[in-house]
Amino acid sequence: MTRKLLAEFLGTALLVCVVVGSGIMAQQLSPGEVGLQLLENSTATVFGLGVLILVLGPVSGAHFNPVVSVADWWAGRCQRSGLTGAELPGYLAAQIGGGVAGAVLANVMFDLPAWQISTHHRVTGGHLVGEIVATAGLIAVIFALARTGRAARSAAAAVAAYIGAAYWFTSSTSFANPAVTIGRIFSDTFAGIAPASVPGYIAAQIVGAALGLAVVGVLYPAPTPAENISHPDHPKDSAHR
């Protein structure tokens, strides 16, 4: 359990460090070019997230996200799979602590005050809808892969790709993660979020996670081995045509 919690702390810290650090670098390299800054920020996040999942996934499952951990506990509570109720609080604490540490580390790397509070207010009705959509999609991707036995080989690419896309198609730029949201309070830069905006974002993320898990429950009511999934080119299907 100690190894798992360390992996979750490090993974969340480095994820937030990537998000905040690339946001700071984007501001410095492309001042005034908001679209280009978002491209630079999202590209670094996609690559960083994919690598972190590959490296730390075998240790802790690479949740790095409280709503993923809660969904994992909720979905597996009847079958006694996933996180247990005893493990869940440790995961949440490690992720939130890691998120704050990652923002502070990014500030220090760029010679900014280590401890700062964002003044970037983000809450509008559209942003909250964007967070619901972003989080629902993220949970659906993760648990659809898990239910079909493809998480081990596909999660890093699929999750990173989804987050990269959601940066651009959601109005909120896809925080989709309470630990990352809390961590980004502590950076008054391009990637920051003002404390007053955080409760709305986290509430939207919780709603989105519930919706995403509900969709997966309907589409995949029981775990299905990947080799049994119907596919036009699958030899089993061809034999029946």
Side-chain angles (χ1 to χ4, degrees):
M1 192 60 188
T2 300
R3 291 172 56 246
K4 291 180 179 180
L5 295 181
L6 178 59
E8 286 297 301
F9 177 87
L10 289 175
T12 312
L14 291 172
L15 174 58
V16 173
C17 189
V18 168
V19 173
V20 173
S22 62
I24 297 171
M25 181 66 83
Q27 276 187 312
Q28 295 180 353
L29 294 177
S30 309
E33 299 288 342
V34 179
L36 186 54
Q37 290 173 2
L38 186 61
L39 177 62
E40 294 160 346
N41 187 214
S42 62
T43 301
T45 301
V46 166
F47 290 143
L49 178 58
V51 169
L52 289 171
I53 293 172
L54 284 174
V55 172
L56 298 174
V59 180
S60 68
H63 294 185
F64 313 147
N65 186 333
V67 294
V68 172
S69 296
V70 171
D72 185 54
W73 163 75
W74 179 262
R77 72 195 188 287
C78 294
Q79 291 78 25
R80 297 184 179 180
S81 60
L83 289 180
T84 67
E87 292 172 330
L88 181 60
Y91 264 60
L92 303 185
Q95 292 157 358
I96 293 170
V100 174
V104 171
L105 177 59
N107 293 336
V108 170
M109 284 198 300
F110 286 90
D111 293 319
L112 298 174
W115 196 260
Q116 51 184 280
I117 301 297
S118 176
T119 56
H120 191 173
H121 293 277
R122 294 177 177 266
V123 168
T124 67
H127 286 150
L128 297 182
V129 173
E131 275 302 283
I132 292 173
V133 171
T135 311
L138 175 63
I139 294 297
V141 168
I142 292 170
F143 284 87
L145 292 175
R147 284 289 177 95
T148 55
R150 296 174 293 167
R153 68 175 181 270
S154 302
V159 172
Y162 175 78
I163 290 297
Y167 252 91
W168 290 91
F169 78 77
T170 64
S171 57
S172 64
T173 66
S174 184
F175 284 50
N177 184 331
V180 169
T181 304
I182 292 170
R184 288 167 71 165
I185 291 173
F186 299 97
S187 180
D188 193 18
T189 64
F190 176 79
I193 180 171
S197 299
V198 169
Y201 266 58
I202 292 178
Q205 291 157 3
I206 293 170
V207 172
L211 289 174
L213 204 56
V215 168
V216 171
V218 172
L219 295 177
Y220 304 101
T224 305
E227 61 269 19
N228 291 337
I229 297 173
S230 178
H231 189 281
D233 298 323
H234 196 289
K236 290 181 180 179
D237 295 329
S238 300
H240 292 288
R241 284 204 294 266

